[in-house]
Amino acid sequence: VSVSPADAILITYAISGPDPLGTAEAIRVEQTIEFPFELAPTWIQEQVVGSIVETNGSEITIAYNPDVTGGDVVQFLNLLWGNVSLFTGVRVVDIAIPDSVLASFPGPRFGVEGLREIFGAPTRPLLCTALKPMGLSAHDLAGYARTLAEAGFDIIKDDHGLANQPWAPWEERIAVVSETVRQVAETTGHRSVYMPTLNVPADRIVDAAHQAKQAGAGALLLLPGVTGFDTMRALAMDEDLALPIMSHPSFLGSHVVNQGQGISHGLLIGMINRLAGADLCIFPNYGGRFSFSPEECRDIQVRCSETVGSIRPSWPSPGGGMTLDRIDEMITFYGNDVTLLIGGALHRGDLGDNARAMVRAVSGR
Amino acid sequence: VSVSPADAILITYAISGPDPLGTAEAIRVEQTIEFPFELAPTWIQEQVVGSIVETNGSEITIAYNPDVTGGDVVQFLNLLWGNVSLFTGVRVVDIAIPDSVLASFPGPRFGVEGLREIFGAPTRPLLCTALKPMGLSAHDLAGYARTLAEAGFDIIKDDHGLANQPWAPWEERIAVVSETVRQVAETTGHRSVYMPTLNVPADRIVDAAHQAKQAGAGALLLLPGVTGFDTMRALAMDEDLALPIMSHPSFLGSHVVNQGQGISHGLLIGMINRLAGADLCIFPNYGGRFSFSPEECRDIQVRCSETVGSIRPSWPSPGGGMTLDRIDEMITFYGNDVTLLIGGALHRGDLGDNARAMVRAVSGR
């Protein structure tokens, strides 16, 4: 290849169907020039179109010239999964990214070590919960937030579907809950933070993030499947904001849940989130309400933590139907570099008692 | 239901698996309160959680309170396909949206009639082509643009993967090609427009759109799968911009190509694009390089044109491996309200000859 593999973006596709190599030949053109190969100038055939560099059964690796991305995350995403998303029987299972392209990704601002410092938790898992159910007033949600902060939860986030509903309008909710959590943190000395959902219009999202910070919010929840990975990237790079960011998988599921099509769980929910600046990556834990297997959850965890240039590791944050009696099992599975996300189950019985039991279960780890 | 079906958002899911009703029970909770149903206050169970209103075999319709969207497109998308995107065996096959929610969608600013006026084409199909291949200089791309504009193409768009690559940097390309196409339009009297790709960083996209307009671009290409549907909505509602918008399906494929999972082709590529302001909706035509069937293409066309409150119809824009000899067949299939998108095939032989043949093939229709 004209661009040496060391400097190339390598994307490995698992390709089903009778002719994996023929499909790979189509992909290397489709993801770059979208033009009849034989009509392109020779130098473009050699330097702009991707090159097949490895074939391992039906897994085929294509090397792309990093210049194809133009240094932008949006075009990196388009190279990764633009037109090929319309193919059937193609799944991205590995990527390798040279330093020149990694430079366009911020990665997590805080990552594992940074959040350990913020929460005064040198070794234990972090604890996150969600304010719910939708329909409660801002005042009622703040009441729950008080109980959860007093119990010692690290992150108290909005349920991701809280937006600007009439029951708890965005501005009111952010103001009331931020202030409540701030007061508790002052009293107890434990730094709980409130993390509002930036499930807000595209032309409001940057202002909303700053407004949330000004109100006292200590972190931000993003929905990159709805508002875009590059919006997360921009907020992660915003020096005046400088808040931890958690990514929620809303609207992203179809990219991962279909066998043999899409992007691997680890690459999309672990790696892409991480590259785009997510300090914490939410995903549905195995054995909960969703479809992920233990292997798929492990894949996400590995992609959150593996070495990728100087990009900081992210926290895997399994949730989605977690219960108190699974804490030990989850810590055994994920280790201590995990943010346990538990929501509705805390409301079975007394919220305060359950929250304190949860905090006890991770303290001293 | 507490919210009468006439005022509700109705979403119909095709559900596979042994217990469609049980899955629907899970969905109506998952997409709203994400909270143990029996623990929610009665009024929230009745008014915030969705209600199953129709069961037709494995197709089940749930009615949602429109207040769940909070009047925002982002939360509408989250209601439509947030957590349920992580389920297997669920596909959204129909939606009905009350006027109160439609008010949050701009719909196309121009639509079918508006673009017919702009291009002086009262009845014929419109013609669109893409500048390619990636790797050419801005000057060379402008040379192609000149030939295509002189031939009488209506819309000359960037290939969607053109971003800020070193071969034709964004600002230079937009300036040079806009000016070229403007000059030709002045000379010939036919209003060809240049449509640059807004495949640019999230924090630059609004400025880039205005910069493109100032440079003389006459329309904009958006990639909502990468930069978000709500970014398109915001640009469509921008009164100072007021340019036609075309939507490209990059990164959206996984939502539609998997049998039994995702969102129907027509709803995502036709209806959601249209609601979010796309005047033209690109999709891969049947029989080209991609996987769409004639029925799926028809579905998109129907969703582009069916009556939805006062939302204007969009142009279906089939492309992806189109050739000159398929023009008649495509017009027979789609009728005259279609924007034919032909790219690389124009370069087989003489570009100018092919472009003029294409223009002749639609003129007088």
Side-chain angles (χ1 to χ4, degrees), chain B residues 110 113-121 190-193 218 242-244:
Chain B
F110 300 93
E113 287 312 308
L115 294 195
R116 287 203 172 288
E117 267 181 48
I118 285 178
F119 294 110
H190 177 73
R191 171 118 205 256
S192 297
V193 304
L243 290 180

Side-chain angles (χ1 to χ4, degrees), chain A residues 244-262:
Chain A
I245 288 176
M246 189 174 216
S247 170
H248 188 283
S250 167
F251 219 98
L252 290 176
S254 341
H255 297 307
V256 303
V257 301
N258 296 287
Q259 292 273 348
Q261 201 273 342

Side-chain angles (χ1 to χ4, degrees), chain A residues 104-235:
Chain A
S104 33
F105 293 105
R109 179 180 287 271
F110 300 93
V112 172
E113 287 312 308
L115 294 194
R116 288 203 171 289
E117 267 180 46
I118 285 178
F119 294 110
T123 56
R124 66 169 171 82
L126 298 185
L127 290 183
C128 178
T129 185
L131 298 174
K132 48 174 82 177
M134 185 191 292
L136 295 186
S137 68
H139 179 80
D140 288 344
L141 293 169
Y144 283 164
R146 174 178 297 280
T147 302
L148 293 156
E150 284 174 348
F153 263 71
D154 301 300
I155 300 170
I156 298 159
K157 76 173 186 69
D158 278 345
D159 214 11
H160 81 284
L162 297 184
N164 197 28
Q165 290 94 353
W167 309 297
W170 198 85
E171 295 211 14
E172 183 193 355
R173 186 175 79 249
I174 273 56
V176 172
V177 181
S178 293
E179 178 57 18
T180 301
V181 174
R182 199 192 55 71
Q183 280 175 7
V184 174
E186 252 183 38
T187 311
T188 62
H190 176 74
R191 172 116 205 258
S192 297
V193 304
Y194 169 50
M195 174 190 272
T197 301
L198 286 182
N199 181 9
V200 297
D203 40 358
R204 279 254 310 130
I205 199 162
V206 174
D207 287 349
H210 286 273
Q211 194 182 340
K213 179 175 179 171
Q214 209 151 22
L220 302 169
L221 182 70
L222 270 287
L223 281 61
V226 175
T227 54
F229 282 101
D230 200 56
T231 297
M232 188 160 74
R233 190 273 315 156
L235 292 176

Side-chain angles (χ1 to χ4, degrees), chain B residues 309-326:
Chain B
S310 55
I311 302 282
R312 294 189 179 89
S314 297
W315 291 83
S317 186
M322 216 197 114
T323 53
L324 284 160
D325 57 12
R326 292 191 63 196

Side-chain angles (χ1 to χ4, degrees), chain B residues 69-267:
Chain B
T69 70
D72 289 330
V73 171
V74 285
Q75 172 57 11
F76 174 84
L77 293 170
N78 187 43
L79 172 67
L80 179 72
W81 199 237
N83 277 3
V84 73
S85 75
L86 295 154
F87 283 41
T88 54
V90 176
R91 190 167 174 98
V92 175
V93 295
D94 204 5
I95 52 180
I97 307 172
D99 286 338
S100 63
V101 175
L102 284 176
S104 33
F105 293 103
R109 178 181 289 271
F110 300 93
V112 173
E113 287 312 308
L115 294 195
R116 287 203 172 288
E117 267 181 48
I118 285 178
F119 294 110
T123 56
R124 66 168 170 83
L126 298 186
L127 290 183
C128 178
T129 186
L131 298 175
K132 48 173 87 180
M134 185 190 294
L136 295 186
S137 68
H139 179 80
D140 288 344
L141 293 169
Y144 283 163
R146 173 178 298 280
T147 303
L148 293 156
E150 284 175 349
F153 263 71
D154 301 300
I155 300 170
I156 298 160
K157 76 173 187 70
D158 278 344
D159 213 13
H160 82 283
L162 297 185
N164 196 29
Q165 289 95 351
W167 308 298
W170 198 86
E171 295 208 16
E172 183 193 353
R173 187 175 79 247
I174 274 55
V176 173
V177 181
S178 294
E179 178 57 18
T180 301
V181 175
R182 199 192 55 70
Q183 280 174 6
V184 175
E186 253 182 37
T187 311
T188 64
H190 177 73
R191 171 118 205 256
S192 297
V193 304
Y194 169 50
M195 175 190 271
T197 301
L198 286 182
N199 182 9
V200 296
D203 40 358
R204 279 252 312 128
I205 199 163
V206 174
D207 286 350
H210 286 273
Q211 193 183 338
K213 179 175 180 172
Q214 210 151 23
L220 302 169
L221 182 70
L222 270 285
L223 282 59
V226 174
T227 55
F229 283 101
D230 200 55
T231 297
M232 187 159 76
R233 190 272 314 155
L235 292 176
M237 291 179 78
D238 187 329
E239 295 294 337
D240 297 330
L241 203 56
L243 290 180
I245 289 175
M246 187 174 218
S247 170
H248 188 283
S250 167
F251 219 98
L252 290 176
S254 340
H255 297 306
V256 303
V257 300
N258 295 287
Q259 291 274 349
Q261 201 272 343
I263 305 173
S264 78
H265 294 71
L267 286 180

